[in-house]
Amino acid sequence: GAVVSQHPSWVICKSGTSVKIECRSLDFQATTMFWYRQFPKQSLMLMATSNEGSKATYEQGVEKDKFLINHASLTLSTLTVTSAHPEDSSFYICSAELGQGIRETQYFGPGTRLLVL
Amino acid sequence: AQTVTQSQPEMSVQEAETVTLSCTYDTSESDYYLFWYKQPPSRQMILVIRQEAYKQQNATENRFSVNFQKAAKSFSLKISDSQLGDAAMYFCALVPGGGNKLTFGTGTQLKVEL
């Protein structure tokens, strides 16, 4: 149980185009999902918290107009990198929160490798 | 604010031996949860073990166990009978009770040698 999928697993795009990444909780409903970015050999950096039916909460320094997040259902959150540039190339990971109250545990998707040319 | 510190960038262990990965943390919360996540070369983050701070008993999951020292704010991971598949980056993480944002350590790269 607690399986999270991401699609696509990797994507190459041209500079200036937009890329959408999907994150799905396959066997549970997730009120809250998270989007992270990870650079090589570094830890995960939280970009934003995605709440179903409401606006995402972005971490300081993350451009909300650049990284659009939509959490339209209890099993799907999407991250759209708008007008992508080479510096946006990275590994993006989503997670979904299982449980409510004080027993939250995050389960992670397999990640999406984005390369912007 | 929470901080999580992993002071061992790299560790090595012989196959079938036991290894302990260190983690210390700091939080002003009295209620919180601690986690160890594993990230193999595929980069899929996998939950290894979870510990509720209000529980004195150390969590165990098969070959994985923790040594939770609340007063010392220490949360080490012990891997017994190490296997080649255990080779990965291991991240220690904390979430405060009532909150949901994970604070990660910088990770420990574990190598398993034949």
Side-chain angles (χ1 to χ4, degrees):
Chain A
V3 179
V4 178
S5 70
Q6 265 184 258
H7 179 81
S9 56
W10 64 276
V11 58
I12 302 173
C13 69
K14 293 182 178 180
S15 185
T17 61
S18 294
V19 174
K20 180 185 284 188
I21 302 170
E22 292 186 348
C23 177
R24 294 182 184 271
S25 55
L26 298 185
D27 53 0
F28 66 100
Q29 293 183 330
T31 305
T32 304
M33 292 184 174
F34 303 85
W35 288 95
Y36 295 85
R37 187 171 178 175
Q38 187 181 32
F39 293 101
K41 299 188 183 300
Q42 293 190 21
S43 188
L44 279 68
M45 181 187 77
L46 179 64
M47 299 175 64
T49 302
S50 168
N51 297 294
E52 188 267 337
S54 64
K55 291 183 178 181
T57 303
Y58 291 82
E59 295 300 300
Q60 190 173 11
V62 177
E63 300 175 59
K64 61 180 180 181
D65 295 329
K66 173 77 170 176
F67 300 99
L68 299 179
I69 291 172
N70 182 272
H71 194 155
S73 76
L74 288 172
T75 59
L76 173 65
S77 176
T78 60
L79 168 68
T80 301
V81 183
T82 62
S83 187
H85 289 94
E87 57 266 29
D88 298 324
S89 299
S90 191
F91 188 66
Y92 293 88
I93 310 176
C94 74
S95 70
E97 183 180 74
L98 177 64
Q100 296 180 344
I102 59 172
R103 290 185 170 80
E104 298 93 345
T105 296
Q106 290 183 32
Y107 290 87
F108 288 81
T112 297
R113 292 170 176 78
L114 171 63
L115 177 61
V116 184
L117 301 177
Chain B
Q2 288 69 231
T3 60
V4 177
T5 302
Q6 294 179 251
S7 58
Q8 307 156 314
E10 288 186 3
M11 291 283 285
S12 293
V13 63
Q14 296 285 328
E15 196 177 17
E17 295 297 310
T18 297
V19 64
T20 299
L21 308 184
S22 300
C23 173
T24 58
Y25 61 91
D26 193 20
T27 178
S28 58
E29 302 288 335
S30 59
D31 200 12
Y32 50 91
Y33 293 79
L34 293 160
F35 305 85
W36 278 97
Y37 284 93
K38 165 186 177 181
Q39 188 177 41
S42 68
R43 301 187 78 176
Q44 164 81 62
M45 293 284 284
I46 301 167
L47 177 65
V48 175
I49 202 164
R50 182 183 75 172
Q51 174 81 42
E52 293 91 340
Y54 63 87
K55 289 187 177 178
Q56 293 186 337
Q57 185 173 8
N58 289 323
T60 62
E61 286 289 341
N62 300 312
R63 297 183 294 108
F64 299 88
S65 62
V66 297
N67 183 2
F68 175 45
Q69 301 290 326
K70 191 171 184 178
K73 295 185 176 178
S74 171
F75 183 61
S76 60
L77 175 69
K78 185 171 83 171
I79 306 174
S80 304
D81 185 26
S82 297
Q83 301 175 359
L84 294 177
D86 295 333
M89 180 72 88
Y90 286 81
F91 291 100
C92 179
L94 176 152
V95 63
N100 58 10
K101 290 185 182 180
L102 277 169
T103 298
F104 285 95
T106 51
T108 296
Q109 182 70 52
L110 178 66
K111 298 180 181 179
V112 180
E113 300 169 341
L114 293 171

